Amino acid sequence: MTDGGPAGAVDSAGPTRPPVLSAVDGIVAGLLTTGIATLLAALMTVVGATDGQPSPVAAVAGAFIDRTPPWLKDLAVSTFGTHDKLALLVGVIVVLTVTCAVVGVLLAWRARVALTVFAVVGGIGLAAVLSRPGASPTDAVPTVAGVLAGLWYLARGTQPTPPAVTANPTRRLVLGTIAGGTAAYIGSSVGGHAARATASRTAANHPLRLHNHLVIPAGADLHVPGVAPFVVPNDAFYRVDTAFVVPRIDADSWRLRVTGMVEREVEVDWATLQEQEMTEALVTLTCVSNEVGGDLVGNATWTGWPVRDLLAMARPRAGADMVLQTSADGWSCGTPLNALTDGRNALLAVRMNGRPLPFEHGFPVRVVVPGLYGYVSACKWVTELKVTTFAADEGYWTPRGWAARGPVKTESRIDVPRTGSSVAAGRVVIAGVAWAQHRGIAGVEVQVDDDPWRAARLAADVSTDAWRQWLLEWDAPRGSHTIRVRATDGTGRQQTATTAPPAPDGASGWHTVTVRVQ
């Protein structure tokens, strides 16, 4: 007597296939499903048949990110740093593998239930795909095809199997892994390279019309070993965003629209943007999730067209106080209108440290706004600027518990010596960086134990929008010592000692390290 599955699949005495082989069947079915779906999704992306995210694994991960509460986001960033998306991918793969293994074992007992569970899991992936920004009904094709292939593979396992095949999982494992793994690899490779986007980025490395040519004085970098460089290289610059799959956009197809409360809507394309007179500016970017003493902050030279010039073409209407920036991947942020029009170097950036933007940092165009945390200003892959009000619209993170406006707080950090380290008695260099974008750093002070605060030596002041390095030489006696730092910004306001977590509007407090002097 069967459970209602395919005839002859399972009898009441229980499964005829070893649990290990059954689990392997489930995992291989999962490999086949994700592999085919990934391949088809990549092909759709390459031929331009989608504006969404048709890969179910990526879509599920993206949907998870969208529903992440602030406390969990902070935990992920503080635990994994810029590797948070890799950790999420590993987590998705682990959960999917375990689920498929359970489905395989269940298949040996209750075939119909197992197939239903597998279909439900596929349905979750399909729902995630259709929920992504820019999704269309055709985006369902890769997931549906993959799930059908997985169900077919599992259904074959419900048929009577010769004892020799039943006892040996190697054949199924090898064939399924080859099929699913190859499809996933090809799909990832084809989709990841995005040949047209890569070619357009290569072609973007041409001379621009520059309003100014930035020269960084030698005194801006104190060259203290262990201290973050004044200008952080592109490949070392922190990355925090919600894009599980980095958008790779062909610059020639890129468009930016200005909409909303404007006298006239404006649209610019890549060719038009390249004709504009560009500005070079040193701007330090800071993530609101950065803990006191954290490394989610970096300084770079950005080249771009002032946002105020584009907004002037559209002529914002009276009453507007916010610009809702929207990314190609659907992410958005609400930026105070005055921060984009008050004369600061708010840019539609096309270059980072003299090179076309890396894909991870927003190629072809991103927004850089000095003085604001990234979650309310730094829109990568920007495609729309909607002039509106804070009362009418809100960015991605605001309904998730973060403040609507995010001015950067004055902060300082000790880079050397590191907390918990041991140093030799005698002359010791204490050094680090301090930032207060759009206000500048006027002074930095260091305190060792309960000694009086001492003024540190500052590196050259290049821009109020860039961080400053600092150092203090300390005659270190033997023993355990606590070192803390505080900064004063260009308005004369001192960094607060009040400790606060990143949520809802940025961490605060004095960075403190403990060292052992031997």
Side-chain angles (χ1 to χ4, degrees):
M1 183 174 182
T2 69
D3 68 345
V10 179
D11 63 32
S12 59
T16 59
R17 182 176 289 110
V20 171
L21 178 55
S22 299
V24 168
D25 275 343
I27 293 172
V28 171
L31 269 173
L32 190 61
T33 296
T34 56
I36 289 175
T38 301
L39 173 60
L40 293 178
L43 291 175
M44 288 179 63
T45 301
V46 169
V47 301
T50 178
D51 292 320
Q53 199 171 68
S55 171
V57 174
V60 168
F64 179 83
I65 291 172
D66 288 348
R67 290 158 179 79
T68 301
W71 67 266
L72 186 54
K73 171 184 178 290
D74 283 344
L75 178 62
V77 172
S78 63
T79 303
F80 301 107
T82 55
H83 300 294
D84 57 336
K85 293 172 186 63
L86 176 60
L88 176 58
L89 174 60
V90 172
V92 170
I93 291 174
V94 169
V95 171
L96 184 60
T97 300
V98 172
T99 301
C100 289
V102 171
V103 167
V105 173
L106 184 61
L107 185 72
W109 291 86
R110 293 289 183 268
R112 179 173 294 178
V113 174
L115 295 175
T116 300
V117 171
F118 192 86
V120 169
V121 172
I124 292 173
L126 179 60
V129 166
L130 295 178
S131 72
R132 304 313 296 152
S136 65
T138 57
D139 287 351
V141 172
T143 303
V144 171
V147 171
L148 289 177
L151 288 172
W152 167 81
Y153 184 87
L154 289 172
R156 291 179 70 245
T158 65
Q159 303 304 317
T161 308
V165 176
T166 299
N168 184 2
T170 304
R171 183 181 177 187
R172 284 179 178 272
L173 178 60
V174 170
L175 291 178
T177 300
I178 289 175
T182 300
Y185 174 78
I186 294 174
S188 299
S189 299
V190 172
H193 284 91
R196 285 184 302 232
T198 301
S200 70
R201 183 175 180 272
T202 301
N205 195 25
H206 58 77
L208 298 172
R209 291 180 57 208
L210 286 178
H211 169 71
N212 65 315
H213 181 65
L214 197 63
V215 177
I216 301 174
D221 199 319
L222 299 176
H223 299 290
V224 177
V227 173
F230 178 66
V231 174
V232 179
N234 293 358
D235 59 359
F237 207 92
Y238 80 93
R239 177 200 163 199
V240 175
D241 52 54
T242 62
F244 183 74
V245 176
V246 174
R248 290 179 177 263
I249 300 169
D250 177 7
D252 293 330
S253 67
W254 173 85
R255 300 288 186 276
L256 173 62
R257 297 185 304 130
V258 182
T259 63
M261 298 174 61
V262 293
E263 293 298 325
R264 71 183 187 99
E265 294 193 353
V266 176
E267 179 177 286
V268 294
D269 59 16
W270 180 249
T272 302
L273 181 60
Q274 299 302 294
E275 296 171 355
Q276 307 308 312
E277 189 174 61
M278 303 285 182
T279 294
E280 282 189 338
L282 279 161
V283 180
T284 296
L285 299 185
T286 312
C287 178
V288 72
S289 295
N290 195 43
E291 301 277 358
V292 172
D295 60 0
L296 300 181
V297 56
N299 188 54
T301 300
W302 306 92
T303 307
W305 188 32
V307 182
R308 61 179 176 273
D309 291 351
L310 176 60
L311 291 176
M313 295 170 60
R315 301 193 301 276
R317 294 175 181 167
D321 62 4
M322 188 255 269
V323 174
L324 186 70
Q325 305 180 39
T326 301
S327 166
D329 70 343
W331 185 84
S332 63
C333 63
T335 309
L337 176 61
N338 69 302
L340 299 174
T341 58
D342 64 2
R344 74 182 76 188
N345 285 319
L347 303 176
L348 293 169
V350 297
R351 296 199 178 170
M352 180 180 183
N353 291 330
R355 306 279 297 178
L357 292 171
F359 287 112
E360 294 80 4
H361 291 287
F363 182 83
V365 185
R366 67 167 298 161
V367 179
V368 172
V369 185
L372 299 177
Y373 287 117
Y375 83 104
V376 296
S377 67
C379 186
K380 302 175 183 178
W381 318 290
V382 63
T383 58
E384 183 180 6
L385 301 178
K386 178 184 177 183
V387 179
T388 180
T389 66
F390 280 101
D393 286 294
E394 55 188 3
Y396 180 94
W397 285 112
T398 304
R400 291 167 171 81
W402 297 83
R405 303 169 188 262
V408 172
K409 298 179 181 180
T410 301
E411 285 294 328
S412 52
R413 186 182 75 199
I414 300 170
D415 285 353
V416 292
R418 300 285 182 180
T419 191
S421 63
S422 295
V423 298
R427 186 60 57 90
V428 172
V429 172
I430 305 171
V433 289
W435 58 91
Q437 294 92 307
H438 203 50
R439 301 185 304 279
I441 293 294
V444 172
E445 297 172 290
V446 177
Q447 183 184 51
V448 179
D449 299 327
D450 295 322
D451 293 345
W453 288 90
R454 295 175 56 193
R457 175 163 70 90
L458 295 175
D461 188 7
V462 182
S463 168
T464 59
D465 296 332
W467 64 12
R468 294 183 76 175
Q469 294 183 349
W470 57 268
L471 71 80
L472 177 76
E473 294 184 324
W474 168 46
D475 291 322
R478 289 182 177 84
S480 179
H481 300 279
T482 299
I483 307 170
R484 56 185 63 89
V485 64
R486 68 185 183 192
T488 301
D489 67 25
T491 69
R493 187 171 182 177
Q494 194 174 85
Q495 176 183 345
T496 179
T498 303
T499 300
D505 60 357
S508 67
W510 294 338
H511 187 210
T512 302
V513 302
T514 301
V515 298
R516 181 76 182 175
V517 180
Q518 298 178 339

